Amino acid sequence: MRVKFLIIYILAGAAFVGVSLWVLLSGGKNARAIRYKYRLGGIMLTAWAMLSAASCEGGPFMVTCYEPMPPQVTCYDVAMETDIVSVVVKDYGGNRLKSGDVLILTIEVPGSKDYRFIIHEGGTSAKVLQEGNLQAPDDLSTVKAEITLAPTEYKGEAVIEVLAVYKSDQGEETNVVGEASIVIV
C-alpha cells in the first residue's frame, strides 16, 4: 500500500516540476499551466497524506502518526542553593597569596553545623598542605573564617576543598560542598 502511494507521489512530483517550468517560461500568463500546477499540487498533498496514514500501524485511526500526550501539570519546588563557598585573600582580594597571608573563607547559607577545609597542592588528589575545622554559628546565617596560610616551600596552583561534616550512626560522614582555586607565590 505504501509503495503505491510513494510511486504516485514521485510521479506527481516530476509532473509538478514540469508544469512549474511551463508556468515559469510562460511568465505566469498561461491560465492552463497555472490550473495544472494547482491540480498537481493538490494531488501531491493528497498522496502525502495517504502515505502518512498508511505508515501508521495498529490502534484506532488517527489523523497523524503522533500520539497526543495527556495534559499534565507538573509543579517543581526549586531547591534552595546551600553551601556557597568563596575564598578571598584578606586586605588585597584576589586569589594570589604567599605563606603567612590570611584567607577569608565564606560559606553562605550553610547546610551543616561543622565543616572541614583542606588545602591541596595542585588538585584535590595531591599532597595536603594544610587542613582545619570550622563551625557554623547558631543562627546558621554565614560561616566566615580567617585562615593563615602555613609556611610552605610549595609555589603554584592550589585548591581549597570544603567538606560538610555530618554525625551519623556509623560515625562521621563528609560531603564535598565546594572548592576554590588559589595561587601560592
Side-chain angles (χ1 to χ4, degrees), residues 2-184:
R2 284 196 265 185
V3 175
K4 180 177 148 184
F5 291 122
L6 183 62
I7 292 171
I8 292 170
Y9 189 72
I10 291 171
L11 291 174
F16 184 78
V17 169
V19 171
S20 295
L21 186 62
W22 182 17
V23 169
L24 184 68
L25 293 175
S26 70
K29 296 184 187 212
N30 190 335
R32 181 186 281 174
I34 292 173
R35 184 172 47 243
Y36 284 135
K37 184 176 177 183
Y38 280 122
R39 285 186 182 167
L40 285 170
I43 290 171
M44 286 178 59
L45 289 173
T46 303
W48 185 258
M50 296 307 260
L51 186 64
S52 295
S55 65
C56 294
E57 296 176 7
F61 179 77
M62 297 184 72
V63 176
T64 66
C65 294
Y66 301 105
E67 294 183 21
M69 291 294 296
Q72 294 178 354
V73 177
T74 307
C75 297
Y76 296 102
D77 288 334
V78 178
M80 190 171 143
E81 190 175 358
T82 60
D83 299 317
I84 304 164
V85 177
S86 64
V87 176
V88 165
V89 179
K90 186 176 182 179
D91 294 331
Y92 54 89
N95 67 342
R96 300 176 64 84
L97 71 156
K98 59 187 179 305
S99 296
D101 282 351
V102 178
L103 288 167
I104 298 176
L105 173 66
T106 307
I107 304 171
E108 303 278 339
V109 193
S112 175
K113 189 79 173 146
D114 297 311
Y115 290 92
R116 182 174 298 139
F117 71 89
I118 305 169
I119 302 175
H120 298 273
E121 292 179 357
T124 56
S125 59
K127 179 182 168 190
V128 174
L129 293 174
Q130 185 176 346
E131 59 184 310
N133 295 319
L134 306 170
Q135 281 198 326
D138 290 333
D139 63 353
L140 287 177
S141 59
T142 300
V143 177
K144 199 169 196 175
E146 293 187 2
I147 303 164
T148 304
L149 185 63
T152 180
E153 296 293 320
Y154 177 76
K155 305 283 188 246
E157 301 255 339
V159 172
I160 299 176
E161 184 178 32
V162 180
L163 303 121
V165 179
Y166 302 101
K167 309 283 188 223
S168 68
D169 297 335
Q170 292 83 20
E172 204 175 75
E173 293 182 22
T174 60
N175 183 29
V176 177
V177 294
E179 294 178 0
S181 296
I182 58 171
V183 179
I184 301 173

